Amino acid sequence: MSAYVSSLASQLQIVAAAAPTEERLKGKASLLYEIKEAADIDLQTIYAVGLQGFTELVRLDGRFEAYSRTLFSRNASEVNRELLDKEANVKMDASITGYLRLLSGFFLTAAATKTLEYLIRRYKIHVYNVDAAITCALPYHSTPEFVKLVQLANLDGTSFYFLKQVKEVGAAPPRDQLVVRCCNDGAFLSFVCDAAASSASTKGVPGAASAFYAVLLTESLAAMPRVTAGVVPRLLPYLEAGLAPAASAEQYAGALIVATQLASRAPLAAPLTEALIEGVAKGARSPLHAQSLQALLALCQTQAVKDLPSRAFKHLVKLPDLPSHLADLCRGYRADALTVPLVRALAASAAQHVNYERVLAGVVQEAPLTAVAVTALVRALVALAGEGADSAGATPAGAEAGKEVAARTLRLLDAHHPAAASAAVDTVLSEAAAAASEFLVVTLKTVTSSSHPQPGVGCP
């Protein structure tokens, strides 16, 4: 019997050593009060304070109401988590994590502090939910409120063990310290990416979280000596959530910045590049249309994209005022990496739907296209005009429609980009003549004979 008791005692000691423990304080852990003062305040008083803060938060955002029964009810306030079984504690942890994720956008409010005071006293989140608690406050890492929370937390064995100096000295950690940690600690980078993805998936106003994670991840990517293959998969959940149509404008803007930085630092697999381009185009919304096009240009430029993915193209064409936004982009940047595949796609689709031709006409009329873009467009229009001759499946009506669209667009090019159009037509005609494609030469001759001599076709 004594051997059995000794063995059981040893096992209990091992379990106790593995469990997180509350640090010994000369008082009670508290955000609102001095620890000695907090020791004289009973749990019911703390519960009343927490409930008052929770009620204020529910008025600000109705989503908090979901936690009224699990965390802030009278029955919940009487639960001692240290007496609960594993399954009950798992459910409690899930509820606390969800609440803290939502609370992040309100962290600096007095109401949030009141509820945190209650969660610390009743559920000991500074012991059992350290990662979730500090993640809630991380976007505000430069504030005294963040420092005080870190000083209360048991950091051993958590993702934030490196903040022990903050705990000891009481100085807020600068962002560059977090950047260095992301660069040197893959586990922490994964943690940050997961937190960023959770933030980007949270509907409603995310407060400072979206901007914080976007800047932290962007600066981390920029500071890495080399962006390794292992970094990219960690970022994908964040990018997917941030670029989704359901994301807020803040979340979408953050994802644009990170996607652009990632593309500038690493060659991406073609399927990922295509997915990012589609995500940017599909998620574009006011007032970020210009930024969306800038991100698309960066992706096309850095990843040497030759053709726009079809689904991305269909989303992009629906963008309000695309021609004027593209015109602004062309004035501010060397934009051929985007304009060339875009005008080619527009020309190839212009005979399929009137909207495609309308957008193409707008681009020709408004955007200061370069000679490279004009030449690419002329080639695409020649291909469109020649589809009826080269395709066995083309109908006479479809072939005629292609010729008419090509003719109208070529006239617009001649009117708005005369020099570039003239040079492009001459180039394409010489190419067509060399290839003995009489049909294409005749098509161009008919369309442009009023304003361009035809080299190689009846010319001396």
Side-chain angles (χ1 to χ4, degrees):
M1 177 68 75
S2 61
Y4 173 78
V5 172
S6 176
S7 175
L8 180 61
S10 298
Q11 292 178 43
L12 290 173
Q13 287 176 353
I14 292 172
V15 171
T21 57
E22 186 171 12
E23 296 178 356
R24 293 186 177 182
L25 301 172
K26 295 180 179 179
K28 289 284 187 181
S30 174
L31 290 176
L32 285 175
Y33 312 103
E34 296 295 328
I35 57 174
K36 290 183 179 179
E37 181 186 358
D40 297 326
I41 302 175
D42 62 24
L43 177 59
Q44 290 309 307
T45 301
I46 297 296
Y47 171 64
V49 170
L51 187 60
Q52 181 188 42
F54 180 71
T55 302
E56 293 173 16
L57 289 171
V58 170
R59 290 197 195 100
L60 294 173
D61 191 328
R63 290 174 296 168
F64 282 108
E65 183 65 36
Y67 300 95
S68 61
R69 183 179 61 82
T70 56
L71 297 178
F72 291 93
S73 67
R74 175 64 64 179
N75 287 340
S77 74
E78 296 172 356
V79 171
N80 184 343
R81 72 176 302 168
E82 293 175 333
L83 300 179
L84 297 177
D85 60 23
K86 182 178 180 180
E87 183 179 355
N89 263 303
V90 168
K91 289 181 179 179
M92 179 173 288
D93 284 339
S95 186
I96 289 172
T97 298
Y99 177 77
L100 291 173
R101 185 180 300 136
L102 182 58
L103 188 68
S104 182
F106 303 84
F107 177 74
L108 294 181
T109 66
T113 305
K114 291 174 183 177
T115 65
L116 288 169
E117 182 75 12
Y118 165 67
L119 296 179
I120 288 170
R121 177 68 71 90
R122 175 69 283 178
Y123 304 117
K124 297 187 177 181
I125 63 168
H126 62 303
V127 178
Y128 298 107
N129 304 96
V130 174
D131 280 346
I134 295 185
T135 299
C136 169
L138 194 60
Y140 315 91
H141 61 91
S142 62
T143 67
E145 290 84 352
F146 175 82
V147 172
K148 190 164 188 179
L149 180 61
V150 170
Q151 289 181 313
L152 294 177
N154 181 355
L155 300 176
D156 292 335
T158 74
S159 298
F160 295 99
Y161 67 92
F162 64 91
L163 293 178
K164 282 189 173 181
Q165 187 174 7
V166 175
K167 187 180 180 74
E168 295 167 358
V169 179
R175 191 170 63 238
D176 58 7
Q177 181 182 347
L178 301 178
V179 169
V180 170
R181 178 59 56 177
C182 284
C183 292
N184 298 334
D185 185 344
F188 183 68
L189 175 62
S190 294
F191 181 86
V192 168
C193 289
D194 290 343
S198 296
S199 171
S201 301
T202 303
K203 294 182 179 180
V205 180
S210 291
F212 167 74
Y213 285 117
V215 172
L216 177 59
L217 290 174
T218 300
E219 291 183 351
S220 297
L221 287 169
M224 291 176 184
R226 185 170 65 90
V227 176
T228 63
V231 171
V232 177
R234 291 171 176 150
L235 290 167
L236 295 187
Y238 166 72
L239 292 172
E240 183 179 3
L243 295 177
S248 71
E250 277 184 325
Q251 293 162 337
Y252 177 75
L256 285 183
I257 297 169
V258 175
T260 301
Q261 182 66 268
L262 175 63
S264 73
R265 291 301 320 279
L268 306 177
L272 175 56
T273 300
E274 182 173 332
L276 288 175
I277 290 174
E278 182 182 345
V280 171
K282 185 177 181 180
R285 79 287 307 275
S286 180
L288 299 171
H289 293 149
Q291 290 80 358
S292 301
L293 289 181
Q294 289 170 16
L296 288 172
L297 172 58
L299 286 166
C300 290
Q301 209 163 46
T302 57
Q303 303 304 310
V305 173
K306 300 301 181 186
D307 298 299
L308 285 180
S310 58
R311 287 185 295 188
F313 168 68
K314 290 176 182 178
H315 290 300
L316 187 57
V317 172
K318 295 176 183 177
L319 201 69
D321 299 322
L322 174 60
S324 63
H325 289 301
L326 187 68
D328 291 338
L329 185 74
C330 292
R331 294 186 188 99
Y333 304 90
R334 295 183 57 140
D336 283 346
L338 176 60
T339 56
V340 168
L342 177 59
V343 296
R344 281 207 308 254
L346 284 168
S349 305
Q352 298 173 14
H353 194 283
V354 65
N355 185 54
Y356 292 138
E357 185 182 359
R358 179 188 61 80
V359 174
L360 177 57
V363 169
V364 170
Q365 291 169 319
E366 297 185 41
L369 299 176
T370 65
V372 172
V374 170
T375 302
L377 178 53
V378 169
R379 286 197 179 100
L381 292 171
V382 168
L384 175 64
E387 282 180 356
D390 298 335
S391 176
T395 64
E400 190 60 32
K403 292 178 184 178
E404 291 175 358
V405 170
R408 286 194 292 269
T409 308
L410 282 167
R411 291 189 188 100
L412 275 178
L413 269 175
D414 184 52
H416 293 275
H417 307 273
S422 177
V425 167
D426 289 347
T427 298
V428 174
L429 281 172
S430 63
E431 293 172 351
S437 180
E438 186 66 23
F439 174 79
L440 300 184
V441 174
V442 170
T443 300
L444 274 178
K445 183 178 179 180
T446 302
V447 171
T448 60
S449 59
S450 61
S451 47
H452 299 291
Q454 309 302 315
V457 184
C459 291

